[in-house]
Amino acid sequence: MLGEPGRLRDLVGRPRPCQVPPGGIVTAPAAKSLVNLPVVSAPAVAASPAHAYVLDGTETAPARARRHVRMDLTALRLPEECIERAVLVVSELATNAVRHTGSERIRLEIEPFADEVHVAVRDSGPRPQTPLHQIAVEQGDPADCEHGRGLDIVRQLSTRWGSSPTPGAGLRVWAAIERRDAE
């Protein structure tokens, strides 16, 4: 039955990424002419339902975020190496959100896919003046400092990571973690 969980995904397969030019208009050839088509964003198809948790923006948030990630990914029977990487990445993201934004609440998002797990932390701002990828590069040698290693850890443990503004003053920082064990 089409209404069964995952049935539609099985029929259509995983969507392929599309590069969207500035302005949000994709230009495609049609009947020997170019037609401007508005971009319709469809979420990627997750292997399992996504989980989201709202946490108080206090010093306990990173520990609570780690616990949620460990419980959710263990329930999915993911490889232990993947779980450990995701736990550490989320710990760094939650710590940064609490320490640097003063958000009253943060939102943890966990979304498993067939070949990777996406984790994200949303805060309510303020956004940094410098892009996070630049901050990660400018941190210098992480071995020389007690703080400031978080984004470098995120970079090393994820296949890719990034950030995007949220409505209002916030930021969503995300990372993709491979679902396989380390070789």
Side-chain angles (χ1 to χ4, degrees):
M1 175 184 276
L2 188 57
E4 295 173 2
R7 180 69 176 134
L8 182 60
R9 179 179 59 247
D10 292 339
L11 294 173
V12 298
R14 186 168 179 171
R16 304 211 185 278
C18 173
Q19 296 296 326
V20 179
I25 300 293
V26 176
T27 305
K32 295 185 180 182
S33 66
L34 295 178
V35 177
N36 289 330
L37 303 171
V39 174
V40 177
S41 298
V45 178
S48 297
H51 295 146
Y53 303 93
V54 176
L55 308 172
D56 288 335
T58 65
E59 61 192 29
T60 63
R64 292 178 58 216
R66 288 190 300 268
R67 194 167 36 254
H68 285 300
V69 169
R70 185 174 303 286
M71 286 182 358
D72 287 0
L73 299 186
T74 298
L76 293 172
R77 297 188 174 137
L78 293 184
E80 186 61 29
E81 179 68 24
C82 172
I83 294 170
E84 291 303 318
R85 287 191 311 255
V87 164
L88 187 51
V89 165
V90 162
S91 183
E92 296 299 334
L93 297 180
T95 298
N96 285 349
V98 169
R99 182 175 288 155
H100 299 295
T101 70
S103 298
E104 287 185 24
R105 298 209 183 342
I106 63 172
R107 178 182 163 105
L108 167 66
E109 301 169 356
I110 307 164
E111 190 168 17
F113 290 86
D115 55 350
E116 61 190 13
V117 174
H118 293 187
V119 293
V121 173
R122 292 177 185 248
D123 62 58
S124 57
R127 295 183 192 128
Q129 297 295 321
T130 306
L132 293 184
H133 279 88
Q134 186 175 340
I135 292 171
V137 170
E138 291 175 352
Q139 287 176 342
D141 185 1
D144 292 341
C145 56
E146 182 179 339
H147 300 287
R149 297 184 296 238
L151 292 177
D152 191 53
I153 290 170
V154 170
R155 182 186 59 78
Q156 290 181 41
L157 295 178
S158 61
T159 54
R160 62 190 184 285
W161 71 280
S163 63
S164 57
T166 60
L171 194 65
R172 179 180 184 267
V173 185
W174 59 270
I177 314 290
E178 284 186 293
R179 286 183 69 150
R180 62 177 175 77
D181 278 320
E183 297 174 2

